[in-house]
Amino acid sequence: MALTRRGVLAGSAAGGLLLAAGPAGAKTNMVFAHGVASGDPHADSVLLWTRVTDPAHGPVSGTWEMAEDELFTRIAARGSFSTSAARDHTVKVIASGLKAGREYFYRFRAMDTVSAIGRAKTLPTGRIDRLDIVLACCAMYMFGEFHAYRAIADREAVDLILFVGDYIYEYGANSMPALMDVRAIEPTHDTVTLADYRARYAQWRRDPALRDAHARASWICMWDDHEIANADWMHGAQHHDPAANGDWEERKAAAVHAYLEWMPIRDPVTSAPYGITRSFAFGDLATLALPETRLKARQQQLSLAKDLDWHVVDRRGSGERVISDPAELKTLDLKALPQGVTREPDVAAFREKLADPAREMIGAEQCAWLADELKAHKDARRPWFLFGSATILSSYVYPDLTKFPDGKVALAPMYALTRYGLPLLNVDSWDGYAGERDKLYDQFEKSGANLLVLSGDSHMAWINEPHRGDRRIGLELSASTLTGPSIGELLLPSGPVGDAFVHDNRDIRWCDTNAVGFVTVSLTRDRVEADFVRVITPRQAIGKLDIARHASARIAEDGLSGWEIS
């Protein structure tokens, strides 16, 4: 079943598509209970993944095979594998010697049992005229059903699933007091140890919808923060307390170890465990570049609590005066200032900190790598340069949320800060590393590439046009959460807050603060089309989906057009 704009809108009288949670077909294969997956395709090879569920927990051997047909009458590659508890009985093999741009079928055998059949596609070479991508991120098993994964699994047109981070979440049970879990989570506490992270991945991968989405097509994955801990950076994380969680380096190593066991990604070299920076060439149509944005170079995020300075401003006379004399400040009660005297944030100083070019998210080594990728892309004369970013590249500030009457009372202090035109939650994204972003903009502009950014993380959906002054740098599509909760549900007032984001920010063309779902992206030689697929009932057993927005843009003689949105 194809989830197309026309198909969804014709799907029911209510204009939606209904999907049931749970299995779509046969019962769970108990030996291969976590299904199969493929990823990181090359023109002549692809990585295959599975896990053998062995009740005895001993070493297991088996075989794999890849064929040009679903009946496995034309075998293209085969081999054997062995695994054990040392790698949580997961299996990774590289199927090589394959033909470029070809769809294959694969399966595993072990303990007298055959796995489910998966589909994988090698990268094309030479001329191609179309590429169909699913863009997804942020799956919170405990807060919603995997209806989005079911819809992805059922799609007819998909060459690649690009997952830009937050595949799992490290939080324990009922971690958000305002929103109760709808599914029990394993383990019930925050993930800290290798065993914790392994158990969390195992639970996610037992979900039939996710298993089928992995079997549907090859994935290209990157991690963001929640695969380790919220708002992480090289040497720590917002959601890591050494007193409670132990040594950060041990937790980080455990999380990365489990990620590399469970995800269909080619392993980095042992000497560079965070070296998942990579690129992919889709024939003569597109280049996809994926930098690592968390563990290799990222410096600690700024925060409004510790990095936003405040001063007292006196407007009682004819002018404006910042009161800086300590003796005078001691005479004032900051909680009951006289009329004409206010306490205000030093917005300009905070913006200077954000724009400091010394602050890094990806670092000089990856910036140099990106410059090389852009040069190779230009030499290959491909129409599209795709930049995969775990977080939003475009710049935005929060609109004044105090203007909306139906806000959450407990969040009034946060709403008050929005009067000053500041980034808030997005200090963890590229807005928090604006100086380094300028370096990327330099490279994008000098290359002349037709830039399309594919991003996620924010739990809101966006159609963006990143600018530098009056110049549009490129285009951006940013996916929301697959399951919820959205930022709109958790933190924002009701009302047209998304429209306010658009009004207050040049880079933002459309924003849905309550979005749950994923994005389909179709590229041709001179056009991009995108549908924002929305899950209307994420916490119910029956999932209802529709298309929230459609966006398109084209490559003209003078460069990229802006978005057309409908």
Side-chain angles (χ1 to χ4, degrees):
M1 174 179 58
L3 185 56
T4 63
R5 182 175 177 84
R6 180 178 299 174
V8 166
L9 295 178
S12 73
L17 177 72
L18 300 182
L19 297 173
K27 293 181 179 180
T28 298
N29 181 323
M30 296 310 296
V31 173
F32 297 98
H34 302 94
V36 299
S38 68
D40 279 5
H42 291 183
D44 61 353
S45 65
V46 66
L47 180 139
L48 307 180
W49 180 97
T50 192
R51 182 176 188 265
V52 180
T53 308
D54 176 23
H57 301 292
V60 177
S61 297
T63 61
W64 61 271
E65 56 186 350
M66 184 169 248
E68 295 180 354
D69 65 310
E70 199 167 4
L71 296 177
F72 288 81
T73 62
R74 300 191 302 277
I75 301 298
R78 55 165 46 106
S80 60
F81 69 83
S82 61
T83 187
S84 68
R87 58 171 299 113
D88 205 18
H89 286 95
T90 60
V91 177
K92 282 184 175 181
V93 299
I94 302 294
S96 57
L98 307 177
K99 299 175 183 177
R102 181 69 181 263
E103 185 175 61
Y104 290 91
F105 300 86
Y106 64 93
R107 62 189 178 188
F108 295 83
R109 297 176 185 269
M111 299 170 62
D112 299 320
T113 304
V114 182
S115 73
I117 295 172
R119 297 158 72 177
K121 193 172 185 179
T122 53
L123 295 184
T125 57
R127 182 179 176 89
I128 64 167
D129 295 316
R130 185 181 179 93
L131 178 65
D132 290 299
I133 299 171
V134 171
L135 172 65
C137 65
C138 305
M140 300 190 80
Y141 178 98
M142 59 285 235
F143 287 125
E145 300 287 348
F146 281 174
H147 299 308
Y149 280 137
R150 171 57 57 208
I152 292 170
D154 289 345
R155 287 190 63 79
E156 291 179 5
V158 52
D159 295 310
L160 169 73
I161 297 166
L162 176 61
F163 197 93
V164 292
D166 296 341
Y167 185 89
I168 63 166
Y169 280 71
E170 81 279 16
Y171 300 128
N174 296 311
S175 58
M176 298 184 184
L179 191 67
M180 296 298 293
D181 294 358
V182 297
R183 296 201 280 184
I185 196 168
E186 302 170 6
T188 57
H189 55 265
D190 290 353
T191 54
V192 176
T193 67
L194 177 58
D196 292 341
Y197 284 106
R198 282 172 166 175
R200 191 64 55 91
Y201 281 104
Q203 182 179 37
W204 258 240
R205 292 291 274 275
R206 287 195 301 269
D207 186 284
L210 178 52
R211 287 203 310 261
D212 291 349
H214 272 293
R216 172 62 187 87
S218 296
W219 288 43
I220 293 177
C221 306
M222 66 169 68
W223 60 54
D224 191 26
D225 53 342
H226 288 288
E227 287 88 350
I228 302 98
N230 181 58
D232 61 358
W233 55 290
M234 282 192 296
H235 304 307
Q238 176 275 328
H239 194 210
H240 180 82
D241 177 4
N245 306 132
D247 181 73
W248 166 249
E249 294 299 325
E250 291 181 6
R251 183 182 188 182
K252 180 172 64 172
V256 170
H257 188 109
Y259 184 91
L260 294 175
E261 286 177 339
W262 279 86
M263 297 301 289
I265 180 174
R266 296 183 190 234
D267 291 345
V269 297
T270 305
S271 60
Y274 313 131
I276 62 169
T277 304
R278 57 213 199 277
S279 65
F280 302 85
F282 298 89
D284 66 346
L285 181 62
T287 301
L288 170 63
L290 301 168
E292 195 285 325
T293 64
R294 288 286 171 182
L295 304 180
K296 289 183 71 172
R298 181 189 278 258
Q299 296 175 10
Q300 186 171 13
Q301 300 86 344
L302 298 181
S303 76
L304 299 179
K306 66 181 177 64
D307 296 300
L308 178 62
D309 297 323
W310 291 74
H311 50 215
V312 177
V313 181
D314 186 352
R315 296 187 178 88
R316 290 177 292 188
S318 58
E320 179 179 295
R321 180 175 66 95
V322 175
I323 302 175
S324 56
D325 178 34
E328 185 177 1
L329 286 171
K330 284 184 178 180
T331 67
L332 299 173
D333 180 356
L334 296 181
K335 295 181 180 180
L337 291 170
Q339 187 174 0
V341 179
T342 57
R343 185 171 181 266
E344 299 177 5
D346 191 344
V347 174
F350 187 66
R351 289 195 173 281
E352 286 182 9
K353 294 178 183 179
L354 293 172
D356 182 353
R359 288 182 46 72
E360 294 180 327
M361 180 189 287
I362 65 173
E365 180 182 334
Q366 289 193 98
C367 283
W369 165 82
L370 182 60
D372 291 341
E373 290 295 324
L374 284 162
K375 183 181 183 303
H377 170 80
K378 183 177 181 179
D379 292 344
R381 302 173 66 87
R382 299 185 187 102
W384 294 100
F385 189 84
L386 311 178
F387 183 68
S389 177
T391 58
I392 293 175
L393 183 70
S394 295
S395 179
Y396 66 95
V397 299
Y398 273 66
D400 185 353
L401 300 179
T402 65
K403 295 180 179 180
F404 294 87
D406 297 324
K408 298 172 174 59
V409 175
L411 297 174
M414 185 192 92
Y415 295 170
L417 283 173
T418 64
R419 293 177 297 171
Y420 301 105
L422 288 166
L424 293 181
L425 302 178
N426 46 317
V427 293
D428 183 56
S429 71
W430 281 101
D431 271 323
Y433 303 83
E436 188 175 58
R437 179 174 58 192
D438 279 344
K439 297 176 185 177
L440 300 191
Y441 283 0
D442 278 340
Q443 295 182 3
F444 293 141
E445 284 198 292
K446 289 176 181 177
S447 73
N450 297 308
L451 172 67
L452 175 61
V453 182
L454 302 174
S455 64
D457 173 67
S458 71
H459 286 235
M460 297 184 275
W462 308 80
I463 301 172
N464 299 336
E465 295 178 2
H467 281 78
R468 191 182 209 182
D470 293 332
R471 302 186 305 280
R472 185 171 55 235
I473 301 297
L475 306 172
E476 180 171 27
L477 299 166
S478 192
S480 185
T481 165
L482 285 161
T483 57
S486 67
I487 288 297
E489 180 181 11
L490 283 178
L491 300 177
L492 303 182
S494 58
V497 180
D499 293 342
F501 271 106
V502 174
H503 179 272
D504 290 0
N505 294 281
R506 179 169 189 171
D507 284 4
I508 311 305
R509 290 291 313 280
W510 173 77
C511 172
D512 184 350
T513 62
N514 294 298
V516 174
F518 59 94
V519 187
T520 66
V521 185
S522 296
L523 295 172
T524 60
R525 302 197 71 79
D526 62 356
R527 196 165 184 85
V528 56
E529 306 270 351
D531 281 329
F532 283 74
V533 181
R534 174 173 54 189
V535 180
I536 302 171
T537 55
R539 288 197 286 275
Q540 297 179 18
I542 302 296
K544 183 177 181 182
L545 287 76
D546 68 1
I547 303 297
R549 277 296 183 278
H550 175 80
S552 63
R554 59 186 177 85
I555 301 175
E557 290 185 3
D558 58 347
L560 274 176
S561 73
W563 288 113
E564 298 176 6
I565 302 172
S566 59

